[in-house]
Amino acid sequence: MSRRDRYRTDMPRQIDSIRFNETPEGIDLELRVAGPVPRALALFLDGLVRAGLYLVLIPLSALADTGVGLMLIGFFLLEWFYPVVFEVRAGATPGKRAMGLVVVHDDGTPVGLPASMIRNLLRVVDFLPVFYGVGLVSVLLDHDFRRLGDLAAGTLVLHAERRAPPRTIADTPPVQVPPGFALETQQAILSYAERGPRLSAARRVELAEVLTADGGIRGEAAVRRVEGWASWLARGRGLEAS
């Protein structure tokens, strides 16, 4: 397998939990899917919000039959339309927003009413047999961490895009990229340098070793080599299809 083909197939799977979607214009969108832990924490936070709203509605039961009816209607709306309203209007429920998550269509576009309705109506299936047992199994088995509701609705839960300060690599001594590096690999090198400050030291080493695998460079030496390549590319060299 050629270097170009190897990086086309391996790089997107090895650099974080990123899903690459190609637009009709030929642009690759990086969609960073959320795993089960942040989604579970978001669900817990939303549960607290809804519990508070339920407590607000309970005093209505003091108004005899009319009050009980209004309370039950409120419970119904909270249970089935609380997530739909927030997802359609803002892309995320309060719990998801607190965890930095957002719900989108699987092509990266904002979620619409039909998809949000489907994914939330199927929560009753994902909840089975108890505490989202079916949903958890689905999330763990699916490459994009989708529960059954997401699969049926064609939706993803992503980490919301956060604007980071621009990465400067001017002080890093440039190192010429070896000849034959594919365009995709050069883009991955620049992406690594831009995202480096947001990664742990161990993760930076792990990803750098992916890029320097052919040269057998490991550890911090791999990090310095990739940052040197990025500095060389940032100066306007490279980034040509080979």
Side-chain angles (χ1 to χ4, degrees):
M1 180 182 291
S2 68
R3 184 193 301 271
R4 181 185 182 91
D5 292 337
R6 180 166 65 255
Y7 278 101
R8 273 187 178 275
T9 56
D10 293 347
M11 288 299 297
R13 297 181 182 178
Q14 295 188 38
I15 296 187
D16 293 338
S17 53
I18 294 178
R19 173 189 174 114
F20 286 82
N21 271 26
E22 186 174 346
T23 68
E25 294 78 18
I27 300 173
D28 280 335
L29 296 179
E30 294 185 9
L31 307 178
R32 192 157 62 98
V33 296
V37 173
R39 293 184 64 168
L41 292 174
L43 181 65
F44 173 74
L45 294 175
D46 281 322
L48 293 180
V49 174
R50 283 198 284 188
L53 294 174
Y54 288 143
L55 290 176
V56 172
L57 292 172
I58 286 177
L60 290 174
S61 61
L63 302 177
D65 293 343
T66 300
V68 171
L70 292 174
M71 183 184 69
L72 293 177
I73 292 173
F75 284 179
F76 174 81
L77 294 176
L78 277 176
E79 182 63 28
W80 294 106
F81 293 97
Y82 165 89
V84 174
V85 170
F86 282 107
E87 287 176 4
V88 174
R89 288 177 60 87
T93 59
K96 285 187 174 67
R97 191 180 303 112
M99 294 302 301
L101 306 181
V102 64
V103 181
V104 299
H105 293 295
D106 54 16
D107 60 358
T109 57
V111 68
L113 178 60
S116 182
M117 287 288 293
I118 292 172
R119 74 182 302 274
N120 285 291
L121 287 174
L122 284 178
R123 281 189 299 119
V124 66
V125 179
D126 284 307
F127 188 82
L128 297 173
V130 67
F131 295 128
Y132 285 91
V134 171
L136 178 60
V137 171
S138 176
V139 166
L140 294 176
L141 292 179
D142 185 72
H143 179 70
D144 293 320
F145 304 120
R146 293 171 294 182
R147 60 178 177 83
L148 295 182
D150 292 313
L151 291 169
T155 55
L156 294 169
V157 179
L158 308 177
H159 290 281
E161 186 72 21
R162 295 180 179 177
R163 294 186 178 181
R167 162 72 163 160
T168 174
I169 54 178
D171 295 333
T172 305
V175 178
Q176 182 174 355
V177 172
F181 263 20
L183 176 62
E184 292 82 3
T185 307
Q186 297 179 48
Q187 292 172 332
I189 290 170
L190 289 172
S191 176
Y192 171 88
E194 292 168 357
R195 297 168 56 207
R198 304 196 298 272
L199 303 174
S200 66
R203 189 60 171 155
R204 285 198 300 271
V205 170
E206 179 185 355
L207 299 180
E209 289 178 349
V210 172
L211 292 163
T212 61
D214 286 353
I217 305 172
R218 305 187 64 80
E220 289 297 327
V223 174
R224 292 191 296 271
R225 177 60 58 88
V226 175
E227 290 182 345
W229 287 342
S231 179
W232 189 82
L233 292 169
R235 285 165 168 76
R237 305 176 176 93
L239 291 183
E240 296 178 356
S242 54

